[in-house]
PDB file of all heavy atoms in Angstrom:
ATOM      1  N   TRP A 196      15.003  -3.112 -11.910  1.00  0.00           N
ATOM      2  CA  TRP A 196      16.440  -3.197 -11.589  1.00  0.00           C
ATOM      3  C   TRP A 196      17.058  -4.443 -12.283  1.00  0.00           C
ATOM      4  O   TRP A 196      16.410  -5.487 -12.370  1.00  0.00           O
ATOM      5  CB  TRP A 196      16.549  -3.452 -10.002  1.00  0.00           C
ATOM      6  CG  TRP A 196      18.001  -3.380  -9.568  1.00  0.00           C
ATOM      7  CD1 TRP A 196      18.642  -2.258  -9.265  1.00  0.00           C
ATOM      8  CD2 TRP A 196      18.996  -4.438  -9.519  1.00  0.00           C
ATOM      9  NE1 TRP A 196      19.964  -2.580  -8.817  1.00  0.00           N
ATOM     10  CE2 TRP A 196      20.108  -3.962  -8.909  1.00  0.00           C
ATOM     11  CE3 TRP A 196      18.734  -5.862  -9.700  1.00  0.00           C
ATOM     12  CZ2 TRP A 196      21.200  -4.795  -8.859  1.00  0.00           C
ATOM     13  CZ3 TRP A 196      19.834  -6.637  -9.551  1.00  0.00           C
ATOM     14  CH2 TRP A 196      21.161  -6.052  -9.047  1.00  0.00           C
ATOM     15  N   PRO A 197      18.238  -4.253 -12.788  1.00  0.00           N
ATOM     16  CA  PRO A 197      19.149  -3.111 -12.747  1.00  0.00           C
ATOM     17  C   PRO A 197      18.729  -2.034 -13.893  1.00  0.00           C
ATOM     18  O   PRO A 197      17.904  -2.466 -14.695  1.00  0.00           O
ATOM     19  CB  PRO A 197      20.518  -3.698 -13.075  1.00  0.00           C
ATOM     20  CG  PRO A 197      20.168  -4.859 -13.889  1.00  0.00           C
ATOM     21  CD  PRO A 197      18.928  -5.447 -13.373  1.00  0.00           C
ATOM     22  N   LYS A 198      19.251  -0.904 -13.799  1.00  0.00           N
ATOM     23  CA  LYS A 198      18.995   0.109 -14.776  1.00  0.00           C
ATOM     24  C   LYS A 198      20.086  -0.098 -15.909  1.00  0.00           C
ATOM     25  O   LYS A 198      21.270  -0.599 -15.534  1.00  0.00           O
ATOM     26  CB  LYS A 198      19.067   1.466 -14.236  1.00  0.00           C
ATOM     27  CG  LYS A 198      18.143   1.749 -12.983  1.00  0.00           C
ATOM     28  CD  LYS A 198      16.714   1.531 -13.336  1.00  0.00           C
ATOM     29  CE  LYS A 198      15.849   1.947 -12.199  1.00  0.00           C
ATOM     30  NZ  LYS A 198      14.441   1.721 -12.299  1.00  0.00           N
ATOM     31  N   PRO A 199      19.924   0.376 -17.135  1.00  0.00           N
ATOM     32  CA  PRO A 199      20.917   0.266 -18.074  1.00  0.00           C
ATOM     33  C   PRO A 199      22.134   1.132 -17.779  1.00  0.00           C
ATOM     34  O   PRO A 199      21.902   2.224 -17.085  1.00  0.00           O
ATOM     35  CB  PRO A 199      20.256   0.812 -19.326  1.00  0.00           C
ATOM     36  CG  PRO A 199      18.748   0.731 -19.093  1.00  0.00           C
ATOM     37  CD  PRO A 199      18.679   0.787 -17.649  1.00  0.00           C
ATOM     38  N   PRO A 200      23.322   0.669 -18.031  1.00  0.00           N
ATOM     39  CA  PRO A 200      24.499   1.448 -17.698  1.00  0.00           C
ATOM     40  C   PRO A 200      24.433   2.885 -18.183  1.00  0.00           C
ATOM     41  O   PRO A 200      25.077   3.863 -17.492  1.00  0.00           O
ATOM     42  CB  PRO A 200      25.622   0.709 -18.445  1.00  0.00           C
ATOM     43  CG  PRO A 200      25.169  -0.647 -18.540  1.00  0.00           C
ATOM     44  CD  PRO A 200      23.661  -0.474 -18.680  1.00  0.00           C
ATOM     45  N   ALA A 201      23.857   3.144 -19.169  1.00  0.00           N
ATOM     46  CA  ALA A 201      23.595   4.498 -19.793  1.00  0.00           C
ATOM     47  C   ALA A 201      22.954   5.467 -18.800  1.00  0.00           C
ATOM     48  O   ALA A 201      23.154   6.743 -18.871  1.00  0.00           O
ATOM     49  CB  ALA A 201      22.902   4.516 -21.098  1.00  0.00           C
ATOM     50  N   VAL A 202      22.093   4.923 -17.886  1.00  0.00           N
ATOM     51  CA  VAL A 202      21.326   5.743 -17.005  1.00  0.00           C
ATOM     52  C   VAL A 202      22.351   6.239 -15.962  1.00  0.00           C
ATOM     53  O   VAL A 202      22.312   7.546 -15.675  1.00  0.00           O
ATOM     54  CB  VAL A 202      20.193   4.890 -16.315  1.00  0.00           C
ATOM     55  CG1 VAL A 202      19.550   5.738 -15.205  1.00  0.00           C
ATOM     56  CG2 VAL A 202      19.189   4.489 -17.340  1.00  0.00           C
ATOM     57  N   ARG A 203      23.197   5.443 -15.444  1.00  0.00           N
ATOM     58  CA  ARG A 203      24.175   5.981 -14.417  1.00  0.00           C
ATOM     59  C   ARG A 203      25.056   6.924 -15.080  1.00  0.00           C
ATOM     60  O   ARG A 203      25.386   7.931 -14.451  1.00  0.00           O
ATOM     61  CB  ARG A 203      24.935   4.787 -13.897  1.00  0.00           C
ATOM     62  CG  ARG A 203      26.081   5.241 -12.874  1.00  0.00           C
ATOM     63  CD  ARG A 203      26.778   4.109 -12.283  1.00  0.00           C
ATOM     64  NE  ARG A 203      25.897   3.314 -11.389  1.00  0.00           N
ATOM     65  CZ  ARG A 203      26.322   2.300 -10.631  1.00  0.00           C
ATOM     66  NH1 ARG A 203      27.694   1.920 -10.672  1.00  0.00           N
ATOM     67  NH2 ARG A 203      25.486   1.712  -9.799  1.00  0.00           N
ATOM     68  N   ALA A 204      25.504   6.749 -16.285  1.00  0.00           N
ATOM     69  CA  ALA A 204      26.356   7.619 -16.963  1.00  0.00           C
ATOM     70  C   ALA A 204      25.684   8.980 -17.198  1.00  0.00           C
ATOM     71  O   ALA A 204      26.326   9.973 -17.071  1.00  0.00           O
ATOM     72  CB  ALA A 204      26.763   6.992 -18.396  1.00  0.00           C
ATOM     73  N   ALA A 205      24.506   8.954 -17.538  1.00  0.00           N
ATOM     74  CA  ALA A 205      23.687  10.203 -17.717  1.00  0.00           C
ATOM     75  C   ALA A 205      23.546  11.069 -16.409  1.00  0.00           C
ATOM     76  O   ALA A 205      23.714  12.198 -16.458  1.00  0.00           O
ATOM     77  CB  ALA A 205      22.328   9.942 -18.260  1.00  0.00           C
ATOM     78  N   LEU A 206      23.460  10.326 -15.234  1.00  0.00           N
ATOM     79  CA  LEU A 206      23.439  10.954 -14.023  1.00  0.00           C
ATOM     80  C   LEU A 206      24.767  11.653 -13.733  1.00  0.00           C
ATOM     81  O   LEU A 206      24.789  12.792 -13.183  1.00  0.00           O
ATOM     82  CB  LEU A 206      23.024  10.054 -12.899  1.00  0.00           C
ATOM     83  CG  LEU A 206      21.575   9.533 -12.955  1.00  0.00           C
ATOM     84  CD1 LEU A 206      21.355   8.330 -11.972  1.00  0.00           C
ATOM     85  CD2 LEU A 206      20.580  10.669 -12.708  1.00  0.00           C
ATOM     86  N   GLU A 207      25.829  10.893 -13.946  1.00  0.00           N
ATOM     87  CA  GLU A 207      27.202  11.410 -13.669  1.00  0.00           C
ATOM     88  C   GLU A 207      27.430  12.555 -14.694  1.00  0.00           C
ATOM     89  O   GLU A 207      27.984  13.607 -14.049  1.00  0.00           O
ATOM     90  CB  GLU A 207      28.141  10.357 -13.902  1.00  0.00           C
ATOM     91  CG  GLU A 207      28.145   9.286 -12.853  1.00  0.00           C
ATOM     92  CD  GLU A 207      29.019   8.147 -13.084  1.00  0.00           C
ATOM     93  OE1 GLU A 207      29.745   8.205 -14.227  1.00  0.00           O
ATOM     94  OE2 GLU A 207      29.222   7.209 -12.272  1.00  0.00           O
ATOM     95  N   GLU A 208      27.024  12.517 -15.788  1.00  0.00           N
ATOM     96  CA  GLU A 208      27.210  13.605 -16.740  1.00  0.00           C
ATOM     97  C   GLU A 208      26.418  14.969 -16.280  1.00  0.00           C
ATOM     98  O   GLU A 208      26.878  16.065 -16.410  1.00  0.00           O
ATOM     99  CB  GLU A 208      26.740  13.257 -18.107  1.00  0.00           C
ATOM    100  CG  GLU A 208      27.015  14.392 -19.232  1.00  0.00           C
ATOM    101  CD  GLU A 208      26.484  13.977 -20.532  1.00  0.00           C
ATOM    102  OE1 GLU A 208      26.105  12.871 -20.741  1.00  0.00           O
ATOM    103  OE2 GLU A 208      26.596  14.902 -21.463  1.00  0.00           O
TER     104      GLU A 208
END
Side-chain angles (χ1 to χ4, degrees):
W196 187 89
K198 309 297 185 183
V202 173
R203 177 177 292 185
L206 292 172
E207 292 177 353
E208 181 181 358

